[in-house]
Amino acid sequence: MIKIPHKEFKDRINRMKDQMKREQFDLLIIYGDEYRRENLRYVSNFWPLFERGALVVPYEGEPILLAAPEGENVCKEMSAWPNISLIPDFACVTVPDDIEYPHANYTSFGSLFADIQQKTFVRKVGIVGDDAMSRQVYAAIVDGLAGCEVSDANAILCESRLLKSENEIACLKEAARIADVGYKALLAAAEVGKSELELSAAAHQAAFEAGAEAVPFCLVSSGKRVETIIGRATGKRIEDGDMVMAALAIQYEGYIATINFPFVVGTISERQRQFIDLLLEANDIAISKLRPGGKQSELVKAVKEHFRNRNVSQYDLYPPLHGCGVAEAESPYPNESTEGVFAPGMTVNTDISLFGHPDGSNRIEECFVITKDGYERMSRLVGELSRQWKETGNIDPAIVQ
């Protein structure tokens, strides 16, 4: 089974400690919950369910994972770190009631930080994920850190997550493989009279059977509903000639790959063909800019210039590329003034879209890893669908069997 080994979590913490030294942080607190799991999963492998969690990283000493009672056993099962403490403030994310856990062996932020202070001097503390915390949790942490300077440390993990290891790339490739399986099932289910929910169900079933850990989203919209941009599947039934916008994100061992390819069910019009051709041309332009040392801004400029030349800029709503990893969309997220360059080990998604166009709304999304020689596709399906479309003007049914 493809996994991130324990040693790699240790290496990540050691790199973070190097950054802590540069920033003069004595302690880092990396927060996560069911909804904003990426940072905590990256440093601990733990993904809370219902509850909250955090990894406390002193500059000297081993990390301490903070969890809540219901998730204690799954925390022990998943965690890369053996030192686990329960915090009452982390129990049950979504309700205001006081929930009693009579057998829980709780500590408090104040007691925890006092214990750490006995072993190492703590003056400056960085918090990663403060933008995802509730006001109450943030206040409880700061109260427990009385006398310390508390600062935003989100940049530390953003930098650390930018370049992926061989193990991370392997997990993303596996997520992309599963996404291909799920998307094929979705395409096979796409018939006149089927509901959007049935297409989504086909993708979910196939993806989980193929080994998905989770499906962060499966967007399906058809006909006029494609203009919703990120529309959830509904009971709307697909009619002949409906364009479908379907995006499938698959999570495997914490890593998320997303694919999307535009298609029409039943009779396709010439104007719909031209619209999909337009997206494919822009996607090809974006891919041509994926190379180590290449400016990320040049990719954005090239796609936007293509859309300007085709007089469709008013339908171009957001940047054509973003990173992927433990979040579905993460850095880099370039615009036309971004100074960053592509480097081997970066993993990115092209995200080529036009919404509100009179001939349809849709996107092409596929995932790549930047290599020393150029790039490698992680999704095989999107490239094959693109090739078939260019050759035949349609999707070959044999691809989805």
Side-chain angles (χ1 to χ4, degrees):
M1 182 179 178
I2 302 167
K3 294 177 71 73
I4 304 298
H6 180 65
K7 179 182 181 301
E8 190 156 319
F9 288 102
K10 286 188 173 182
D11 291 342
R12 291 173 183 179
I13 295 300
N14 288 335
R15 290 199 304 271
M16 287 172 58
K17 287 186 175 183
D18 290 340
Q19 294 169 289
M20 289 172 68
K21 184 176 182 180
R22 290 197 297 270
E23 300 289 333
Q24 298 183 321
F25 284 119
D26 305 302
L27 190 75
L28 278 187
I29 301 170
I30 300 101
Y31 173 83
D33 55 40
E34 181 178 0
Y35 314 104
R36 290 291 301 277
R37 59 194 175 276
E38 58 270 18
N39 287 326
L40 183 59
R41 187 74 186 267
Y42 181 78
V43 295
S44 71
N45 198 44
F46 178 48
W47 175 21
L49 181 65
F50 301 126
E51 301 171 325
R52 305 171 173 95
L55 190 71
V56 177
V57 183
Y59 181 69
E60 295 180 1
E62 289 294 300
I64 304 164
L65 187 56
L66 306 184
E70 280 193 89
E72 183 178 9
N73 287 337
V74 74
C75 182
K76 292 176 180 177
E77 180 181 70
M78 296 184 72
S79 174
W81 307 104
N83 193 351
I84 297 169
S85 294
L86 302 185
I87 297 287
D89 307 80
F90 280 179
C92 199
V93 170
T94 56
V95 301
D97 309 80
D98 290 329
I99 303 173
E100 294 184 359
Y101 294 98
H103 304 296
N105 184 19
Y106 281 131
T107 187
S108 67
F109 290 119
S111 296
L112 179 79
F113 297 141
D115 288 344
I116 293 173
Q117 285 276 26
Q118 291 180 355
K119 301 171 185 175
T120 181
F121 178 70
V122 178
R123 178 186 59 84
K124 184 178 179 182
V125 179
I127 298 181
V128 177
D130 55 354
D131 57 331
M133 291 179 185
S134 69
R135 182 178 63 184
Q136 291 84 353
V137 166
Y138 182 80
I141 290 173
V142 172
D143 287 348
L145 290 165
C148 296
E149 176 188 347
V150 180
S151 302
D152 182 336
N154 284 299
I156 286 182
L157 242 65
C158 182
E159 179 183 340
S160 180
R161 286 165 44 190
L162 195 58
L163 298 180
K164 308 299 192 293
S165 69
E166 290 184 5
N167 292 313
E168 290 179 284
I169 291 168
C171 286
L172 278 165
K173 286 181 176 179
E174 181 64 5
R177 182 195 68 80
I178 297 168
D180 286 354
V181 172
Y183 210 84
K184 284 183 179 182
L186 185 150
L187 289 170
E191 299 175 353
V192 173
K194 290 285 188 69
S195 70
E196 295 168 353
L197 285 168
E198 287 178 280
L199 272 63
S200 177
H204 276 80
Q205 178 176 346
F208 281 119
E209 288 177 347
E213 175 182 67
V215 178
F217 61 77
C218 180
L219 309 178
V220 183
S221 53
S222 60
K224 286 293 292 181
R225 287 200 68 248
V226 293
E227 295 182 6
T228 57
I229 305 177
I230 52 172
R232 298 179 188 275
T234 70
K236 177 192 173 299
R237 298 205 172 271
I238 296 170
E239 300 177 16
D240 183 51
D242 272 357
M243 180 172 283
V244 177
M245 199 294 294
L248 179 62
I250 296 299
Q251 181 175 308
Y252 175 84
E253 287 297 307
Y255 288 81
I256 303 172
T258 306
I259 64 173
N260 189 150
F261 193 87
F263 62 94
V264 175
V265 176
T267 308
I268 183 169
S269 71
E270 185 56 33
R271 293 174 70 92
Q272 287 172 326
R273 289 187 196 277
Q274 291 173 359
F275 174 78
I276 295 174
D277 285 343
L278 178 58
L279 290 175
L280 276 169
E281 290 163 4
N283 196 53
D284 287 344
I285 289 169
I287 293 171
S288 73
K289 302 296 182 180
L290 294 176
R291 61 181 184 276
K295 293 182 178 179
Q296 297 165 16
S297 61
E298 292 302 318
L299 183 151
V300 179
K301 289 176 183 177
V303 171
K304 291 190 173 295
E305 181 181 9
H306 176 67
F307 285 153
R308 282 192 292 270
N309 291 340
R310 299 294 296 272
N311 298 313
V312 293
S313 293
Q314 64 269 39
Y315 311 115
D316 177 20
L317 304 185
Y318 52 80
L321 181 114
H322 59 74
C324 62
V326 287
E328 190 274 333
E330 61 181 38
S331 295
Y333 219 131
N335 57 36
E336 291 180 272
S337 60
T338 296
E339 296 181 356
V341 299
F342 294 112
M346 281 186 180
T347 51
V348 297
N349 281 19
T350 55
D351 193 349
I352 309 299
S353 65
L354 293 171
F355 286 95
H357 190 281
D359 299 327
S361 295
N362 226 305
R363 65 164 62 86
I364 298 174
E365 188 163 7
E366 57 179 319
C367 38
F368 301 85
V369 56
I370 307 301
T371 67
K372 62 182 179 63
D373 300 315
Y375 66 85
E376 180 184 352
R377 274 187 160 102
M378 288 192 279
S379 166
R380 305 300 179 190
L381 178 62
V382 177
E384 182 60 20
L385 292 173
S386 299
R387 184 184 66 82
Q388 286 287 344
W389 180 270
K390 292 171 189 175
E391 292 178 358
T392 67
N394 216 327
I395 294 174
D396 185 349
I399 294 176
V400 302
Q401 298 306 315

